Amino acid sequence: MKSIAFLALALAGVCWGLGFPTGKLILTETQAAHMVLLRFAVAALAAAPFALRDPKVRALFRSPVVLAAGVLYGVAFLVQFEGLANVSVTVAALLVGAMPALIAISARVLGEKVSRLSWAGVAAATLGAALIAGKPDGASTPWGVALSIAALFLFLAWLLTLRRAPAAPNAMAIPAVSIIVAAVTILPIAFFMHGAPKLDLSPPVWAAVVAQGVLATLLATAAWQFGAAQVGAASAGVFINIEPLIGAACGVLLFGDHLTLPLLAGGALIIGGSLAVVRGERKAAPGELQATVPPTP
């Protein structure tokens, strides 16, 4: 079962990583807040059948914890992509590399057991991301970097909130409901910031919006929550580093970001750290399986 969980976490990291290059493409024709709004509108439409067809799932819309998680998720993406508008794809993606360390520390503070090998993997992966994104490049601003870092803490709050989520009737229930709540949260904020979104986008940009909504939002969220329910929070968190690795690779291949020795070394540390965590994952006690989200039936 853990092998499937690790595959799901890896899939989530890949899908989230694709959100950076697609986001940079969408930002050529619209504002960051509008991009996030369109992304979550598409994701909410895709999530609606999972969220609305079952009365037990619809009841989650009355859960304060699920509602709070949805609000945090939407705001976190708004902040992250406002940051992306002011940094390079590579720097924005690799700043996410600090997230596994934050998750591991919070997991340990909250009582979860973390093996020494897993700690080593977290440290290596975090060092790898820091090595590559050590300082903003010419395409980045301090404000963009600050927003990107602030988004990490909002995502951490989202993860910690999900730990208190009620039992769900199926694996898609909480992801679907939280995505719809996030979309409703983003709507007034985006309208307040920039008015109604521009809809006469080019076909490639609309394709990127759909990819963000279906792959980088709904599929990534569901895969992450499924996988994270089966392993420790610290071990799950390392797979977030697949996101910056994919984002950095796309930045180099598609957007002309420079391929440097630190980037190569950092990528190797991220991959090596992730493998170390997989090997270091120990059989969790029953009470530890809910370290990130409740187990799905």
Side-chain angles (χ1 to χ4, degrees):
M1 190 63 177
K2 284 191 176 181
S3 297
I4 297 175
F6 284 131
L7 287 174
L9 292 168
L11 175 63
V14 170
C15 289
W16 272 329
L18 294 174
F20 285 101
T22 54
K24 208 65 174 178
L25 174 61
I26 297 168
L27 286 173
T28 62
E29 296 188 15
T30 190
Q31 302 283 348
H34 285 164
M35 178 196 67
V36 176
L37 173 60
L38 294 174
R39 168 184 183 155
F40 272 86
V42 170
L45 288 174
F50 301 102
L52 303 177
R53 64 184 177 184
D54 187 337
K56 293 181 179 179
V57 179
R58 292 199 299 271
L60 292 173
F61 283 104
R62 298 192 295 272
S63 166
V65 173
V66 176
L67 291 175
V71 170
L72 285 168
Y73 201 45
V75 173
F77 270 98
L78 275 174
V79 174
Q80 183 182 58
F81 280 95
E82 284 291 335
L84 179 62
N86 294 282
V87 297
S88 71
V89 172
T90 302
V91 168
L94 290 167
L95 283 172
V96 178
M99 192 67 182
L102 293 176
I103 294 175
I105 292 169
S106 64
R108 186 67 185 90
V109 169
L110 294 171
E112 180 181 325
K113 294 180 179 179
V114 182
S115 71
R116 290 181 180 179
L117 188 56
S118 292
W119 274 118
V122 169
T126 303
L127 175 61
L131 183 64
I132 306 173
K135 63 179 181 179
D137 59 20
S140 303
T141 66
W143 175 242
V145 173
L147 287 174
S148 298
I149 293 173
L152 301 185
F153 288 94
L154 288 169
F155 280 119
L156 179 62
W158 167 66
L159 292 172
L160 295 177
T161 301
L162 282 174
R163 294 180 59 164
R164 299 178 177 274
N170 59 67
M172 289 297 298
I174 291 178
V177 171
S178 60
I179 282 172
I180 291 175
V181 172
V184 173
T185 301
I186 293 166
L187 180 63
I189 299 174
F191 268 72
F192 175 78
M193 292 176 65
H194 303 295
K198 175 184 176 183
L199 298 179
D200 56 335
L201 306 175
S202 66
V205 169
W206 269 118
V209 169
V210 172
Q212 277 201 348
V214 176
L215 298 179
T217 306
L218 180 60
L219 178 59
T221 304
W224 169 264
Q225 293 190 24
F226 170 80
Q230 314 303 323
V231 301
S235 297
V238 169
F239 284 84
I240 292 177
N241 269 327
I242 294 178
E243 175 184 355
L245 190 60
I246 295 295
C250 290
V252 171
L253 296 174
L254 301 178
F255 293 93
D257 291 348
H258 296 297
L259 179 61
T260 63
L261 182 59
L263 192 151
L264 289 172
L269 283 169
I270 289 170
I271 295 172
S274 300
L275 292 175
V277 164
V278 171
R279 294 191 62 183
E281 171 67 19
R282 299 184 299 183
K283 186 177 181 180
E288 293 174 355
L289 289 178
Q290 296 192 21
T292 306
V293 292
T296 52

